[in-house]
Amino acid sequence: FVEVQGEETRESIMDAIKQGRLFMAYEIFGTPQDFKFTATANGKTYGMGEHFKVDSAVVRFNAQILGIKKWFQYPYQLPEPKITLKLLRANSDGWDEIALNQGHSLQVDIYNPGVYRLEAWIEPLHLEPYLNEQTGLIEDELPWVYSNPIWVE
């Protein structure tokens, strides 16, 4: 998915790709609705793909997914999936989990520079009516959304 600023044109889409304003989702579990991942420092907000420097200021990371986009009206009520948002920081061997929240939003204050990204994990309870005898799959927390990073120097 590409996070376009302003009107969606070929130029704005290409600009978003060049700047790294991207995230990936396994749509087999559903399309994320209103996914956002930002960092705020010194009164300015930064998005995926951006690099910025801070001088001993706190950096507030904000993330949200309002749920799964409803493309059509279902004839019956589906259970809501369980969503867990995880903030990760790069290390020499991979990624450290810095914070997590079960729910649709995450807000964390960070005091250290680094490369940060967000993951959303899902328990796809809403898919139970479609899985027949494979209902054991809905009991697992599975990766759903991976953001591009935000660099804090």
Side-chain angles (χ1 to χ4, degrees):
F1 292 87
V2 179
E3 190 176 78
V4 175
Q5 295 175 343
E7 183 182 349
E8 284 189 21
T9 63
R10 183 183 191 305
E11 291 78 24
S12 67
I13 292 170
M14 294 305 292
D15 184 55
I17 292 169
K18 286 178 190 173
Q19 293 184 25
R21 294 192 313 264
L22 309 164
F23 67 94
M24 187 283 285
Y26 290 109
E27 285 192 281
I28 193 166
F29 302 125
T31 302
Q33 180 179 355
D34 294 326
F35 175 77
K36 291 183 179 31
F37 175 51
T38 61
T40 303
N42 299 322
K44 186 167 182 208
T45 299
Y46 304 90
M48 294 176 289
E50 291 194 76
H51 300 242
F52 66 96
K53 291 185 179 190
V54 292
D55 298 323
S56 69
V58 64
V59 177
R60 174 162 287 169
F61 281 93
N62 292 290
Q64 78 169 25
I65 296 180
L66 294 184
I68 293 176
K69 193 173 216 171
K70 307 253 188 311
W71 293 103
F72 55 88
Q73 191 63 36
Y74 297 102
Y76 45 84
Q77 182 69 30
L78 294 173
E80 287 292 318
K82 291 183 183 174
I83 297 171
T84 302
L85 300 178
K86 300 177 181 184
L87 180 65
L88 306 169
R89 181 175 54 224
N91 65 38
S92 60
D93 296 323
W95 297 89
D96 291 324
E97 186 177 290
I98 302 302
L100 71 88
N101 187 51
Q102 292 184 339
H104 296 276
S105 64
L106 173 71
Q107 187 175 78
V108 180
D109 290 340
I110 299 294
Y111 302 90
N112 299 314
V115 179
Y116 294 86
R117 69 179 176 86
L118 189 88
E119 291 182 359
W121 289 63
I122 190 168
E123 288 181 46
L125 304 174
H126 62 295
L127 297 180
E128 184 176 17
Y130 308 105
L131 293 175
N132 298 322
E133 62 273 349
Q134 301 296 323
T135 55
L137 292 174
I138 67 166
E139 298 167 0
D140 292 331
E141 188 177 56
L142 302 165
W144 181 34
V145 177
Y146 293 99
S147 79
N148 254 12
I150 297 173
W151 284 262
V152 180
E153 299 173 17

mmCIF file of all heavy atoms in Angstrom, residues 65-98:
data_model
loop_
_atom_site.group_PDB
_atom_site.id
_atom_site.type_symbol
_atom_site.label_atom_id
_atom_site.label_comp_id
_atom_site.label_asym_id
_atom_site.label_seq_id
_atom_site.Cartn_x
_atom_site.Cartn_y
_atom_site.Cartn_z
ATOM 1 N N ILE A 65 -4.823 1.300 13.450
ATOM 2 C CA ILE A 65 -5.578 0.587 12.427
ATOM 3 C C ILE A 65 -7.001 0.547 12.967
ATOM 4 O O ILE A 65 -7.231 0.006 14.048
ATOM 5 C CB ILE A 65 -5.076 -0.847 12.199
ATOM 6 C CG1 ILE A 65 -3.671 -0.864 11.655
ATOM 7 C CG2 ILE A 65 -6.019 -1.589 11.245
ATOM 8 C CD1 ILE A 65 -3.118 -2.257 11.417
ATOM 9 N N LEU A 66 -7.922 1.137 12.244
ATOM 10 C CA LEU A 66 -9.300 1.190 12.755
ATOM 11 C C LEU A 66 -10.019 -0.145 12.642
ATOM 12 O O LEU A 66 -11.072 -0.327 13.224
ATOM 13 C CB LEU A 66 -10.089 2.282 12.045
ATOM 14 C CG LEU A 66 -9.596 3.699 12.330
ATOM 15 C CD1 LEU A 66 -10.491 4.719 11.659
ATOM 16 C CD2 LEU A 66 -9.498 3.967 13.828
ATOM 17 N N GLY A 67 -9.443 -1.066 11.911
ATOM 18 C CA GLY A 67 -10.057 -2.381 11.760
ATOM 19 C C GLY A 67 -9.885 -2.862 10.337
ATOM 20 O O GLY A 67 -8.937 -2.494 9.651
ATOM 21 N N ILE A 68 -10.827 -3.675 9.922
ATOM 22 C CA ILE A 68 -10.793 -4.236 8.581
ATOM 23 C C ILE A 68 -11.816 -3.515 7.728
ATOM 24 O O ILE A 68 -12.967 -3.335 8.134
ATOM 25 C CB ILE A 68 -11.082 -5.743 8.622
ATOM 26 C CG1 ILE A 68 -9.925 -6.442 9.341
ATOM 27 C CG2 ILE A 68 -11.267 -6.306 7.224
ATOM 28 C CD1 ILE A 68 -10.120 -7.906 9.524
ATOM 29 N N LYS A 69 -11.377 -3.091 6.558
ATOM 30 C CA LYS A 69 -12.260 -2.378 5.641
ATOM 31 C C LYS A 69 -13.406 -3.293 5.217
ATOM 32 O O LYS A 69 -13.192 -4.433 4.830
ATOM 33 C CB LYS A 69 -11.459 -1.919 4.421
ATOM 34 C CG LYS A 69 -12.166 -0.921 3.573
ATOM 35 C CD LYS A 69 -11.212 -0.413 2.499
ATOM 36 C CE LYS A 69 -11.500 1.036 2.263
ATOM 37 N NZ LYS A 69 -10.510 1.647 1.407
ATOM 38 N N LYS A 70 -14.606 -2.783 5.305
ATOM 39 C CA LYS A 70 -15.798 -3.540 4.909
ATOM 40 C C LYS A 70 -16.141 -3.160 3.473
ATOM 41 O O LYS A 70 -16.567 -2.056 3.196
ATOM 42 C CB LYS A 70 -16.964 -3.203 5.838
ATOM 43 C CG LYS A 70 -16.632 -3.365 7.321
ATOM 44 C CD LYS A 70 -17.275 -4.560 7.898
ATOM 45 C CE LYS A 70 -17.173 -4.709 9.390
ATOM 46 N NZ LYS A 70 -15.935 -4.574 10.053
ATOM 47 N N TRP A 71 -15.915 -4.085 2.564
ATOM 48 C CA TRP A 71 -16.156 -3.825 1.143
ATOM 49 C C TRP A 71 -17.620 -3.987 0.784
ATOM 50 O O TRP A 71 -18.086 -3.463 -0.207
ATOM 51 C CB TRP A 71 -15.297 -4.743 0.285
ATOM 52 C CG TRP A 71 -13.854 -4.446 0.420
ATOM 53 C CD1 TRP A 71 -12.934 -5.152 1.139
ATOM 54 C CD2 TRP A 71 -13.136 -3.339 -0.132
ATOM 55 N NE1 TRP A 71 -11.698 -4.564 1.062
ATOM 56 C CE2 TRP A 71 -11.788 -3.454 0.277
ATOM 57 C CE3 TRP A 71 -13.496 -2.265 -0.943
ATOM 58 C CZ2 TRP A 71 -10.817 -2.542 -0.097
ATOM 59 C CZ3 TRP A 71 -12.518 -1.366 -1.317
ATOM 60 C CH2 TRP A 71 -11.198 -1.500 -0.894
ATOM 61 N N PHE A 72 -18.354 -4.766 1.585
ATOM 62 C CA PHE A 72 -19.783 -4.957 1.356
ATOM 63 C C PHE A 72 -20.431 -5.332 2.675
ATOM 64 O O PHE A 72 -19.759 -5.647 3.648
ATOM 65 C CB PHE A 72 -20.053 -6.024 0.281
ATOM 66 C CG PHE A 72 -19.393 -7.355 0.570
ATOM 67 C CD1 PHE A 72 -20.018 -8.323 1.329
ATOM 68 C CD2 PHE A 72 -18.125 -7.620 0.074
ATOM 69 C CE1 PHE A 72 -19.404 -9.531 1.586
ATOM 70 C CE2 PHE A 72 -17.504 -8.838 0.322
ATOM 71 C CZ PHE A 72 -18.146 -9.789 1.089
ATOM 72 N N GLN A 73 -21.742 -5.285 2.729
ATOM 73 C CA GLN A 73 -22.487 -5.592 3.945
ATOM 74 C C GLN A 73 -22.677 -7.103 4.053
ATOM 75 O O GLN A 73 -23.190 -7.736 3.146
ATOM 76 C CB GLN A 73 -23.858 -4.889 3.925
ATOM 77 C CG GLN A 73 -24.587 -4.925 5.241
ATOM 78 C CD GLN A 73 -23.825 -4.194 6.336
ATOM 79 O OE1 GLN A 73 -23.186 -3.179 6.088
ATOM 80 N NE2 GLN A 73 -23.880 -4.694 7.546
ATOM 81 N N TYR A 74 -22.228 -7.674 5.154
ATOM 82 C CA TYR A 74 -22.393 -9.109 5.370
ATOM 83 C C TYR A 74 -23.823 -9.393 5.820
ATOM 84 O O TYR A 74 -24.437 -8.582 6.517
ATOM 85 C CB TYR A 74 -21.414 -9.611 6.432
ATOM 86 C CG TYR A 74 -19.967 -9.444 6.032
ATOM 87 C CD1 TYR A 74 -19.196 -8.410 6.551
ATOM 88 C CD2 TYR A 74 -19.390 -10.313 5.115
ATOM 89 C CE1 TYR A 74 -17.872 -8.250 6.174
ATOM 90 C CE2 TYR A 74 -18.065 -10.158 4.734
ATOM 91 C CZ TYR A 74 -17.314 -9.128 5.264
ATOM 92 O OH TYR A 74 -16.008 -8.970 4.883
ATOM 93 N N PRO A 75 -24.367 -10.554 5.463
ATOM 94 C CA PRO A 75 -25.743 -10.870 5.856
ATOM 95 C C PRO A 75 -25.882 -11.244 7.336
ATOM 96 O O PRO A 75 -26.975 -11.423 7.829
ATOM 97 C CB PRO A 75 -26.094 -12.066 4.957
ATOM 98 C CG PRO A 75 -24.781 -12.681 4.612
ATOM 99 C CD PRO A 75 -23.783 -11.554 4.592
ATOM 100 N N TYR A 76 -24.766 -11.355 8.050
ATOM 101 C CA TYR A 76 -24.784 -11.703 9.465
ATOM 102 C C TYR A 76 -23.610 -11.006 10.150
ATOM 103 O O TYR A 76 -22.692 -10.514 9.500
ATOM 104 C CB TYR A 76 -24.690 -13.226 9.657
ATOM 105 C CG TYR A 76 -23.645 -13.874 8.792
ATOM 106 C CD1 TYR A 76 -22.317 -13.922 9.182
ATOM 107 C CD2 TYR A 76 -23.995 -14.420 7.560
ATOM 108 C CE1 TYR A 76 -21.358 -14.489 8.373
ATOM 109 C CE2 TYR A 76 -23.036 -14.997 6.741
ATOM 110 C CZ TYR A 76 -21.717 -15.036 7.154
ATOM 111 O OH TYR A 76 -20.777 -15.589 6.349
ATOM 112 N N GLN A 77 -23.657 -10.974 11.470
ATOM 113 C CA GLN A 77 -22.621 -10.303 12.258
ATOM 114 C C GLN A 77 -21.399 -11.207 12.395
ATOM 115 O O GLN A 77 -21.519 -12.336 12.856
ATOM 116 C CB GLN A 77 -23.176 -9.940 13.646
ATOM 117 C CG GLN A 77 -22.210 -9.201 14.536
ATOM 118 C CD GLN A 77 -21.923 -7.795 14.034
ATOM 119 O OE1 GLN A 77 -22.759 -7.165 13.416
ATOM 120 N NE2 GLN A 77 -20.727 -7.313 14.305
ATOM 121 N N LEU A 78 -20.236 -10.711 11.983
ATOM 122 C CA LEU A 78 -18.989 -11.454 12.136
ATOM 123 C C LEU A 78 -18.295 -11.013 13.418
ATOM 124 O O LEU A 78 -18.374 -9.843 13.801
ATOM 125 C CB LEU A 78 -18.058 -11.181 10.952
ATOM 126 C CG LEU A 78 -18.519 -11.672 9.592
ATOM 127 C CD1 LEU A 78 -17.576 -11.161 8.505
ATOM 128 C CD2 LEU A 78 -18.576 -13.181 9.555
ATOM 129 N N PRO A 79 -17.596 -11.938 14.091
ATOM 130 C CA PRO A 79 -16.827 -11.515 15.269
ATOM 131 C C PRO A 79 -15.683 -10.598 14.840
ATOM 132 O O PRO A 79 -15.190 -10.683 13.717
ATOM 133 C CB PRO A 79 -16.293 -12.829 15.838
ATOM 134 C CG PRO A 79 -16.417 -13.826 14.752
ATOM 135 C CD PRO A 79 -17.486 -13.357 13.818
ATOM 136 N N GLU A 80 -15.283 -9.710 15.731
ATOM 137 C CA GLU A 80 -14.174 -8.801 15.445
ATOM 138 C C GLU A 80 -12.844 -9.537 15.619
ATOM 139 O O GLU A 80 -12.678 -10.309 16.556
ATOM 140 C CB GLU A 80 -14.200 -7.604 16.394
ATOM 141 C CG GLU A 80 -15.299 -6.618 16.089
ATOM 142 C CD GLU A 80 -15.090 -5.892 14.765
ATOM 143 O OE1 GLU A 80 -13.947 -5.501 14.460
ATOM 144 O OE2 GLU A 80 -16.077 -5.756 14.031
ATOM 145 N N PRO A 81 -11.888 -9.299 14.726
ATOM 146 C CA PRO A 81 -10.563 -9.888 14.925
ATOM 147 C C PRO A 81 -9.856 -9.201 16.091
ATOM 148 O O PRO A 81 -10.182 -8.068 16.442
ATOM 149 C CB PRO A 81 -9.846 -9.593 13.617
ATOM 150 C CG PRO A 81 -10.515 -8.365 13.101
ATOM 151 C CD PRO A 81 -11.955 -8.470 13.535
ATOM 152 N N LYS A 82 -8.908 -9.894 16.698
ATOM 153 C CA LYS A 82 -8.064 -9.287 17.731
ATOM 154 C C LYS A 82 -6.803 -8.772 17.037
ATOM 155 O O LYS A 82 -6.147 -9.503 16.302
ATOM 156 C CB LYS A 82 -7.706 -10.310 18.803
ATOM 157 C CG LYS A 82 -8.879 -10.720 19.645
ATOM 158 C CD LYS A 82 -8.447 -11.683 20.725
ATOM 159 C CE LYS A 82 -9.649 -12.141 21.526
ATOM 160 N NZ LYS A 82 -9.272 -13.197 22.490
ATOM 161 N N ILE A 83 -6.474 -7.515 17.294
ATOM 162 C CA ILE A 83 -5.333 -6.872 16.652
ATOM 163 C C ILE A 83 -4.316 -6.483 17.722
ATOM 164 O O ILE A 83 -4.682 -5.929 18.760
ATOM 165 C CB ILE A 83 -5.778 -5.627 15.859
ATOM 166 C CG1 ILE A 83 -6.725 -6.051 14.731
ATOM 167 C CG2 ILE A 83 -4.574 -4.870 15.305
ATOM 168 C CD1 ILE A 83 -7.404 -4.903 14.019
ATOM 169 N N THR A 84 -3.052 -6.766 17.462
ATOM 170 C CA THR A 84 -1.950 -6.361 18.333
ATOM 171 C C THR A 84 -0.972 -5.541 17.510
ATOM 172 O O THR A 84 -0.514 -5.987 16.458
ATOM 173 C CB THR A 84 -1.232 -7.592 18.927
ATOM 174 O OG1 THR A 84 -2.170 -8.379 19.651
ATOM 175 C CG2 THR A 84 -0.099 -7.162 19.853
ATOM 176 N N LEU A 85 -0.665 -4.333 17.982
ATOM 177 C CA LEU A 85 0.307 -3.460 17.327
ATOM 178 C C LEU A 85 1.632 -3.542 18.076
ATOM 179 O O LEU A 85 1.654 -3.476 19.312
ATOM 180 C CB LEU A 85 -0.193 -2.021 17.313
ATOM 181 C CG LEU A 85 -1.517 -1.789 16.577
ATOM 182 C CD1 LEU A 85 -1.931 -0.331 16.682
ATOM 183 C CD2 LEU A 85 -1.423 -2.220 15.132
ATOM 184 N N LYS A 86 2.728 -3.692 17.318
ATOM 185 C CA LYS A 86 4.053 -3.847 17.910
ATOM 186 C C LYS A 86 5.014 -2.818 17.310
ATOM 187 O O LYS A 86 5.162 -2.754 16.095
ATOM 188 C CB LYS A 86 4.599 -5.240 17.635
ATOM 189 C CG LYS A 86 3.741 -6.357 18.187
ATOM 190 C CD LYS A 86 4.311 -7.722 17.821
ATOM 191 C CE LYS A 86 3.413 -8.832 18.357
ATOM 192 N NZ LYS A 86 3.999 -10.165 18.085
ATOM 193 N N LEU A 87 5.661 -2.027 18.164
ATOM 194 C CA LEU A 87 6.708 -1.105 17.731
ATOM 195 C C LEU A 87 8.041 -1.816 17.876
ATOM 196 O O LEU A 87 8.352 -2.357 18.946
ATOM 197 C CB LEU A 87 6.688 0.179 18.564
ATOM 198 C CG LEU A 87 7.740 1.218 18.185
ATOM 199 C CD1 LEU A 87 7.488 1.767 16.779
ATOM 200 C CD2 LEU A 87 7.767 2.348 19.203
ATOM 201 N N LEU A 88 8.832 -1.818 16.805
ATOM 202 C CA LEU A 88 10.116 -2.512 16.780
ATOM 203 C C LEU A 88 11.241 -1.535 16.458
ATOM 204 O O LEU A 88 11.047 -0.573 15.717
ATOM 205 C CB LEU A 88 10.093 -3.612 15.702
ATOM 206 C CG LEU A 88 8.941 -4.607 15.795
ATOM 207 C CD1 LEU A 88 8.870 -5.450 14.539
ATOM 208 C CD2 LEU A 88 9.082 -5.481 17.015
ATOM 209 N N ARG A 89 12.439 -1.811 17.038
ATOM 210 C CA ARG A 89 13.634 -1.014 16.739
ATOM 211 C C ARG A 89 14.714 -1.954 16.209
ATOM 212 O O ARG A 89 14.933 -3.039 16.757
ATOM 213 C CB ARG A 89 14.149 -0.291 17.981
ATOM 214 C CG ARG A 89 15.384 0.568 17.677
ATOM 215 C CD ARG A 89 15.879 1.408 18.849
ATOM 216 N NE ARG A 89 16.108 0.599 20.024
ATOM 217 C CZ ARG A 89 15.720 0.963 21.260
ATOM 218 N NH1 ARG A 89 15.106 2.098 21.465
ATOM 219 N NH2 ARG A 89 15.962 0.181 22.285
ATOM 220 N N ALA A 90 15.392 -1.532 15.158
ATOM 221 C CA ALA A 90 16.437 -2.357 14.546
ATOM 222 C C ALA A 90 17.622 -2.503 15.487
ATOM 223 O O ALA A 90 17.988 -1.576 16.216
ATOM 224 C CB ALA A 90 16.891 -1.735 13.229
ATOM 225 N N ASN A 91 18.223 -3.698 15.468
ATOM 226 C CA ASN A 91 19.486 -3.939 16.158
ATOM 227 C C ASN A 91 20.411 -4.655 15.170
ATOM 228 O O ASN A 91 20.047 -4.863 14.011
ATOM 229 C CB ASN A 91 19.274 -4.739 17.454
ATOM 230 C CG ASN A 91 18.756 -6.143 17.195
ATOM 231 O OD1 ASN A 91 19.155 -6.814 16.239
ATOM 232 N ND2 ASN A 91 17.860 -6.608 18.041
ATOM 233 N N SER A 92 21.581 -5.049 15.590
ATOM 234 C CA SER A 92 22.547 -5.652 14.671
ATOM 235 C C SER A 92 22.113 -7.031 14.172
ATOM 236 O O SER A 92 22.605 -7.495 13.152
ATOM 237 C CB SER A 92 23.924 -5.746 15.329
ATOM 238 O OG SER A 92 23.847 -6.543 16.493
ATOM 239 N N ASP A 93 21.192 -7.677 14.880
ATOM 240 C CA ASP A 93 20.740 -9.020 14.499
ATOM 241 C C ASP A 93 19.321 -9.071 13.967
ATOM 242 O O ASP A 93 18.825 -10.139 13.629
ATOM 243 C CB ASP A 93 20.824 -9.969 15.704
ATOM 244 C CG ASP A 93 22.239 -10.179 16.183
ATOM 245 O OD1 ASP A 93 23.142 -10.241 15.325
ATOM 246 O OD2 ASP A 93 22.449 -10.267 17.401
ATOM 247 N N GLY A 94 18.620 -7.949 13.939
ATOM 248 C CA GLY A 94 17.217 -7.966 13.505
ATOM 249 C C GLY A 94 16.436 -6.834 14.153
ATOM 250 O O GLY A 94 16.774 -5.675 13.993
ATOM 251 N N TRP A 95 15.417 -7.210 14.944
ATOM 252 C CA TRP A 95 14.519 -6.210 15.520
ATOM 253 C C TRP A 95 14.213 -6.540 16.973
ATOM 254 O O TRP A 95 14.001 -7.700 17.326
ATOM 255 C CB TRP A 95 13.201 -6.163 14.735
ATOM 256 C CG TRP A 95 13.414 -5.746 13.316
ATOM 257 C CD1 TRP A 95 13.674 -6.553 12.246
ATOM 258 C CD2 TRP A 95 13.422 -4.416 12.825
ATOM 259 N NE1 TRP A 95 13.833 -5.805 11.109
ATOM 260 C CE2 TRP A 95 13.676 -4.489 11.431
ATOM 261 C CE3 TRP A 95 13.229 -3.168 13.402
ATOM 262 C CZ2 TRP A 95 13.743 -3.361 10.625
ATOM 263 C CZ3 TRP A 95 13.294 -2.047 12.597
ATOM 264 C CH2 TRP A 95 13.550 -2.148 11.218
ATOM 265 N N ASP A 96 14.185 -5.500 17.826
ATOM 266 C CA ASP A 96 13.750 -5.626 19.224
ATOM 267 C C ASP A 96 12.335 -5.087 19.336
ATOM 268 O O ASP A 96 12.029 -4.023 18.774
ATOM 269 C CB ASP A 96 14.641 -4.805 20.165
ATOM 270 C CG ASP A 96 16.042 -5.365 20.286
ATOM 271 O OD1 ASP A 96 16.194 -6.600 20.262
ATOM 272 O OD2 ASP A 96 16.993 -4.558 20.400
ATOM 273 N N GLU A 97 11.508 -5.791 20.072
ATOM 274 C CA GLU A 97 10.157 -5.299 20.342
ATOM 275 C C GLU A 97 10.244 -4.263 21.458
ATOM 276 O O GLU A 97 10.679 -4.562 22.560
ATOM 277 C CB GLU A 97 9.251 -6.451 20.753
ATOM 278 C CG GLU A 97 7.807 -6.053 20.906
ATOM 279 C CD GLU A 97 6.931 -7.256 21.243
ATOM 280 O OE1 GLU A 97 6.744 -8.109 20.348
ATOM 281 O OE2 GLU A 97 6.465 -7.332 22.392
ATOM 282 N N ILE A 98 9.841 -3.025 21.162
ATOM 283 C CA ILE A 98 9.937 -1.920 22.105
ATOM 284 C C ILE A 98 8.635 -1.767 22.893
ATOM 285 O O ILE A 98 8.646 -1.481 24.086
ATOM 286 C CB ILE A 98 10.254 -0.602 21.367
ATOM 287 C CG1 ILE A 98 11.555 -0.741 20.578
ATOM 288 C CG2 ILE A 98 10.313 0.580 22.314
ATOM 289 C CD1 ILE A 98 12.749 -1.120 21.415
#
